[in-house]
Amino acid sequence: MKKRSKKLISLCVAVGLLVSSLTGCGGSDKGSDAPQTDAAENAETAPEGSAGKELSIAASHQPYSHGLPSYIGEQEGTFKDAGLDMEILWFSGGNTQNEALGADEWEVGAYGSAPAIAAGVAYNAKIIGINVEDSVSIDYFVRPDSDIAQIQGEVEGYPDIYGNADTWRGKTILCATSTSVHFGLVATLAKMGLTQNDVNIVHMDVPSAYAAFKAGEGDVVALWDPQSYQAEEEGWVKVSCGEAAGEEFPTIFIASEKAIEENWDAVYTWLKTYLEICDQYKDDNEGQAKYLLDMQLDNGIDTDEGLALRFVEDRPLPTIEKNIEYFKGEAGSRKMDAVMENVIDFFVDQGSYTEEDKQSLSDNGFIDSEFIKAIAEEKGLSMD
């Protein structure tokens, strides 16, 4: 497999969140609910001639919790032990991951729900699993003298959102678009009856947004860990967060359409091994933190041992049991369908996508259960 640079890839040109056709969830879910008797039968559906070949795959990650198990597996040789030659490509955000997906540079990966939608729209990529929950880690900060910080309790039903429609309207917000912090921002604005058109969103990756806000740019900054921890140390005021907005928006596992069609065994092996690493480390926060610190320092993120430990404590790793909970059932009625439909509807309401776009995603089987079903079957776990 061709080797690529493992240095953090800087943001270049954002993949357009506004795409001519979006695709939603529910509906036919082509190929994801075909009858399956065991994992071996799934392998029989892999591309002809793939049996017996050395498996290889390119995985797309950011140096955060949803990239951690792949990093651990790379460092410990777990994927090689499973017969998979895995290469990690590191990115600073979902936009650049999607750019690289369009260039056919990676096959599987993990990121937020928002860039997953963009990938489904532009490239017919599929959600194949649920990863860590993002609502616990995305935060929105202002400086202490901001008018937003002076008001609390005026957003009915959402007491932890500061300000009101008047104080948020027209603000310049530094935010990584087409990411989880973007969706959380949309959710926060919606609770006040606003849309993203009522504010001025300036796209920046999270580390750059933190640095720019510290230098005096913008009125509001959208952050995730560890920059959100550093914002607290700066004395900035957290005026909303994922949990405050009351919405569920997980990170997800994604695979390209080409990988599913031509490299099924490798996708399956990667996802199964990833979840096994999660199971091995789920109760070992200190072990996770050690690897997280190394991973983030390797990728130029300013952090330390204390921040790394807090990071992993805040974001539990996914499990196969949680994936079964979200992916069991018929297409259109699964828990994952409801979660993603809610995210998509937010962007439809904001004018980023249309109802026709949403239906197109549904028709194309955006949420693909086949890998979780096969893993559950191999492990003797029920999908009922």
Side-chain angles (χ1 to χ4, degrees):
M1 179 168 58
K2 181 181 177 182
K3 296 295 181 184
R4 306 175 181 88
S5 169
K6 291 189 177 181
K7 292 183 179 179
L8 186 65
I9 301 175
S10 62
L11 283 170
C12 303
V13 181
V15 168
L17 185 63
L18 299 176
V19 200
S20 60
S21 61
L22 167 73
T23 35
C25 39
S28 64
D29 193 19
K30 295 179 182 177
S32 64
D33 291 301
Q36 299 179 22
T37 57
D38 54 33
E41 183 175 328
N42 283 317
E44 291 175 3
T45 68
E48 185 177 353
S50 65
K53 287 186 177 180
E54 181 183 6
L55 300 178
S56 64
I57 204 158
S60 165
H61 284 301
Q62 301 167 34
Y64 301 105
S65 56
H66 40 65
L68 181 59
S70 280
Y71 180 81
I72 292 173
E74 178 190 54
Q75 297 298 306
E76 296 188 348
T78 315
F79 290 99
K80 285 192 176 296
D81 291 343
L84 181 65
D85 178 17
M86 182 199 65
E87 176 189 11
I88 300 177
L89 279 71
W90 294 107
F91 297 84
S92 59
N95 282 322
T96 48
Q97 284 178 273
N98 279 342
E99 285 183 336
L101 175 63
D104 196 27
E105 293 182 8
W106 56 268
E107 297 156 282
V108 295
Y111 50 25
S113 304
I117 297 169
V121 171
Y123 309 118
N124 206 24
K126 312 294 184 186
I127 291 176
I128 61 170
I130 188 170
N131 209 309
V132 296
E133 175 58 43
D134 243 8
S135 62
V136 300
S137 61
I138 61 172
D139 302 298
Y140 306 89
F141 288 90
V142 300
R143 299 178 186 88
D145 60 354
S146 169
D147 56 349
I148 294 176
Q150 313 312 313
I151 298 172
Q152 187 177 13
E154 289 194 9
V155 183
E156 186 176 355
Y158 301 92
D160 293 327
I161 296 178
Y162 282 62
N164 55 30
D166 291 335
T167 56
W168 280 81
R169 187 179 288 108
K171 289 294 191 285
T172 295
I173 303 174
L174 311 183
C175 178
T177 58
S178 192
T179 68
S180 297
V181 288
H182 186 194
F183 171 63
L185 174 61
V186 170
T188 293
L189 294 171
K191 301 304 182 291
M192 294 176 282
L194 301 175
T195 75
Q196 58 189 351
N197 295 326
D198 294 308
V199 296
N200 177 32
I201 298 176
V202 177
H203 170 72
M204 292 184 184
D205 65 86
V206 169
S208 298
Y210 171 81
F213 193 76
K214 187 173 181 179
E217 297 183 33
D219 302 307
V220 183
V221 63
L223 302 174
W224 52 47
D225 313 335
Q227 286 81 16
S228 57
Y229 301 149
Q230 295 164 335
E232 293 173 358
E233 295 172 357
E234 292 289 338
W236 301 343
V237 179
K238 183 164 69 173
V239 293
S240 187
C241 61
E243 291 178 309
E247 301 295 337
E248 182 178 10
F249 34 102
T251 62
I252 55 84
F253 297 104
I254 199 158
S256 71
E257 183 179 35
K258 181 179 178 181
I260 293 173
E261 293 176 353
E262 301 180 9
N263 204 16
W264 197 99
D265 290 341
V267 176
Y268 175 80
T269 302
W270 173 77
L271 182 59
K272 179 170 73 76
T273 306
Y274 184 113
L275 289 171
E276 288 171 350
I277 294 167
C278 291
D279 187 63
Q280 177 186 351
Y281 274 89
K282 65 182 180 182
D283 298 320
D284 182 6
N285 285 343
E286 290 187 359
Q288 287 185 53
K290 176 184 178 298
Y291 277 117
L292 180 78
L293 180 65
D294 291 343
M295 177 184 72
Q296 294 195 325
L297 292 176
D298 286 349
N299 284 283
I301 292 179
D302 181 20
T303 188
D304 58 38
E305 292 180 2
L307 293 179
L309 183 59
R310 181 178 172 185
F311 188 107
V312 300
E313 289 173 345
D314 285 348
R315 306 184 82 180
L317 295 174
T319 63
I320 182 59
E321 290 78 12
K322 180 176 181 179
N323 272 272
I324 289 172
E325 176 190 352
Y326 277 72
F327 283 79
K328 66 183 179 182
E330 296 297 322
S333 62
R334 297 161 298 192
K335 189 172 183 178
M336 197 65 189
D337 292 311
V339 168
M340 288 306 302
E341 183 171 15
N342 184 51
V343 179
I344 293 167
D345 283 344
F346 261 108
F347 285 114
V348 170
D349 290 343
Q350 295 285 315
S352 298
Y353 300 110
T354 67
E355 289 292 342
E356 290 74 17
D357 292 333
K358 177 181 173 181
Q359 184 61 48
S360 179
L361 250 185
S362 173
D363 294 342
N364 289 335
F366 181 42
I367 298 172
D368 188 336
S369 298
E370 65 175 314
F371 294 97
I372 296 303
K373 285 185 175 181
I375 293 169
E377 186 164 354
E378 180 177 331
K379 295 182 177 296
L381 300 173
S382 174
M383 288 285 288
D384 296 332

